[in-house]
């Protein structure tokens, strides 16, 4: 076919395509002016008050929730980062109320101090969904539902693993000398992880030499651990309440000329951590973290589905817990008995790490 005819043909096809798309567009939108189409998509507007960006876990959590609470899923998201300050979160919630959002999603920095502002949201008729950490309120009807992790269970997994480890390595309980690098005091994750360790230490006879908060931050953890190494040179287990603290702890130990590893009978310091982020699991592969208990930040789809369920008036659970694993650097402990069931500890490999989403 000559070039000229080709041009006519393709122009004709272009017109036909345009006409078809105009028909399609007008059939699913309102055409108020010729050729201009107005979409009347009813988005659900959601105001999301996030703790901050203090850790790799938090960054992954924010990204996953933003990906799920998206226009593609019929949701118009207004996001606020509170830089770990409760007063900024309260301000954000009041702004969402003024903006008359349909839902508020709150990831609370600490458990206490939410009653008043959640009452204001309720009085404005705006359902609140709490995610990750919990709120400690007098009336739990102030929030519709909660999605997150069972921090006490995470701690129980870590401590049962440590008990099995000590038995296998024939280390006496009285020779287990622990420092606890805590998260943000008053956060549900810190409360659950700290109390789990304290009850296990009482039960098994371990020594907790010190418990010091480091706000889930790497630099703060390095500073805290540097000081603790001077005060307690006998330390042989460091219980880090998240991966960023574990990274800072490893730096402090190595700068002090000591060794992290998986065998305290050889004078190595054992690191236990939480989150199972890519950075943390990379240290597990290097055998610098002995156990990393997952705290799953991928809550976006669960929150999206929960909002849609609430919006449709259907039944929904008040509390939804996300699935989590635990990853070890070696096969000393391959499983534990958790609430009467066998709980597998996953021996971490390059392949497993490569497949993970965060
Ligand atoms: C746990 C979350 C904690 C993570 C930290 O769900 O609240 O806060 O363990 C994060 O990494 O900063």
């Amino acid at each position: 076919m000559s070039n000229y005819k080709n041009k006519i043909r393709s122009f004709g096809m272009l017109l036909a395509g345009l006409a078809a798309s105009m028909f399609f567009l007008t059939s699913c939108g309102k055409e108020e002016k010729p050729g201009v189409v107005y979409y009347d998509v009813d988005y659900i507007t959601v105001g999301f008050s996030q703790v901050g960006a203090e850790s790799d876990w938090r960054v992954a959590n924010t990204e996953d929730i933003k990906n799920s609470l998206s226009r593609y899923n019929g949701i118009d998201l207004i996001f606020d980062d509170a830089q770990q300050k409760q007063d900024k979160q309260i301000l954000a919630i009041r702004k969402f109320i003024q903006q008359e959002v349909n839902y508020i999603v709150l990831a609370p920095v600490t458990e206490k101090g939410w009653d008043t502002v959640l009452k204001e949201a309720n009085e404005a008729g705006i359902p609140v969904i709490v995610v990750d950490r919990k709120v400690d309120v007098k009336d739990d009807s102030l929030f519709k539902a909660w999605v997150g992790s069972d921090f006490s269970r995470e701690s129980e997994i870590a401590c049962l693993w440590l008990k099995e480890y000590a038995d296998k390595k024939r280390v006496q309980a009285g020779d287990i000398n622990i420092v606890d690098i805590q998260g943000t005091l008053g956060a549900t994750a810190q409360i659950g992880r700290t109390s789990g360790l304290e009850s296990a230490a009482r039960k098994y006879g371990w020594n907790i030499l010190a418990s010091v908060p480091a706000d889930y931050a790497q630099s703060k953890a390095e500073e805290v651990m540097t000081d603790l190494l001077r005060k307690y040179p006998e330390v042989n287990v460091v219980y880090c309440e998240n991966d960023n603290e574990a990274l800072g702890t490893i730096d402090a130990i190595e700068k002090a000329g000591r060794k992290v590893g998986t065998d305290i009978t050889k004078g190595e310091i054992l690191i236990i951590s939480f989150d199972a982020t890519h950075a943390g699991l990379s240290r597990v592969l290097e055998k610098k973290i002995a156990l990393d208990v997952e705290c799953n930040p991928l809550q976006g789809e669960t929150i999206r589905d929960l909002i849609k369920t609430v919006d449709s008036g259907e039944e929904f659970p008040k509390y939804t817990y996300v699935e989590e694993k635990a990853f070890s650097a070696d096969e000393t402990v391959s499983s534990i008995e958790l609430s009467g069931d066998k709980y597998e500890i996953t021996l971490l490999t390059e392949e497993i790490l490569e497949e993970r989403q965060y």
Side-chain angles (χ1 to χ4, degrees), residues 13-146:
M13 283 168 67
L14 177 68
L15 277 180
L18 264 176
S21 60
M22 285 313 289
F23 169 75
F24 169 73
L25 288 173
T26 44
S27 67
C28 69
K30 280 194 302 261
E31 186 177 342
E32 291 176 2
K33 284 189 204 135
V36 177
V37 177
Y38 296 83
Y39 274 103
D40 52 359
V41 177
D42 277 340
Y43 289 115
I44 296 175
T45 56
V46 174
F48 174 26
S49 169
Q50 176 60 292
V51 168
E54 74 283 2
S55 65
D56 293 32
W57 186 95
R58 187 67 56 194
V59 170
N61 181 246
T62 295
E63 190 182 331
D64 189 66
I65 291 174
K66 280 183 173 176
N67 287 341
S68 296
L69 304 191
S70 65
R71 287 190 156 220
Y72 179 80
N73 290 321
I75 292 174
D76 210 1
L77 184 70
I78 308 168
F79 175 78
D80 181 85
D81 171 337
Q83 293 156 342
Q84 291 183 271
K85 300 263 183 306
Q86 182 176 38
D87 56 351
K88 285 180 185 274
Q89 290 200 281
I90 290 172
L91 218 56
I93 292 170
R94 287 187 170 134
K95 225 169 126 196
F96 294 152
I97 294 170
Q98 281 167 356
Q99 290 166 300
E100 297 180 350
V101 298
N102 299 118
Y103 289 86
I104 289 171
V105 172
L106 168 64
V109 59
T110 49
E111 292 197 339
K112 297 195 182 301
W114 302 101
D115 298 77
T116 304
V117 75
L118 293 189
K119 268 196 203 106
E120 291 166 21
N122 265 252
E123 281 152 13
I126 302 173
V128 176
I129 291 176
V130 178
V131 298
D132 178 25
R133 304 170 189 176
K134 291 183 174 172
V135 292
D136 177 4
V137 288
K138 290 184 188 58
D139 170 8
D140 75 357
S141 71
L142 286 177
F143 64 95
K144 271 281 181 216
W146 171 87

Side-chain angles (χ1 to χ4, degrees), residues 5 9 67 83 89 120 128 148-149 162 167 170 185 198 210 237 240 265 283 294 299 311 320 322 327 330 336 347 354:
K5 278 193 178 154
R9 186 162 170 268
N67 287 341
Q83 293 156 342
Q89 290 200 281
E120 291 166 21
V128 176
S149 300
L162 182 55
D167 291 351
R170 302 190 192 294
L185 293 183
E198 287 170 348
V237 177
C240 300
T265 61
R283 298 307 184 289
E294 183 176 28
Q299 302 162 346
D311 214 48
T320 304
V322 291
F327 300 90
D330 67 17
I336 55 174
L347 174 65
E354 268 157 41

Side-chain angles (χ1 to χ4, degrees), residues 51 54-58 84 108 132-133 149 151 154 184 187-189 193 215-216 241-244 274-275 277 295-296 299:
V51 168
E54 74 283 2
S55 65
D56 293 32
W57 186 95
R58 187 67 56 194
Q84 291 183 271
D132 178 25
R133 304 170 189 176
S149 300
F151 304 110
E154 290 174 2
T184 301
T188 315
R193 292 170 187 164
D215 269 336
Y216 298 120
E241 296 192 6
N242 89 323
D243 283 341
N244 296 78
F274 295 87
D275 284 355
T277 59
C295 177
N296 188 345
Q299 302 162 346

Side-chain angles (χ1 to χ4, degrees), residues 259-317:
K259 197 168 177 311
V260 291
T262 56
D263 193 344
I264 56 180
T265 61
K266 292 182 185 147
E268 295 173 345
I269 298 179
L270 205 74
I271 308 279
I272 291 173
S273 186
F274 295 87
D275 284 355
T277 59
H278 195 275
L281 292 181
S282 303
R283 298 307 184 289
V284 173
L285 273 184
E286 294 167 18
K287 300 193 185 312
K288 293 193 173 183
I289 291 178
L291 180 79
D292 202 344
V293 180
E294 183 176 28
C295 177
N296 188 345
L298 307 181
Q299 302 162 346
E301 283 181 12
T302 308
I303 298 165
R304 177 202 62 199
D305 295 347
L306 187 59
I307 288 173
K308 300 274 174 122
T309 306
V310 174
D311 214 48
S312 60
E314 286 162 32
E315 280 294 297
F316 57 90

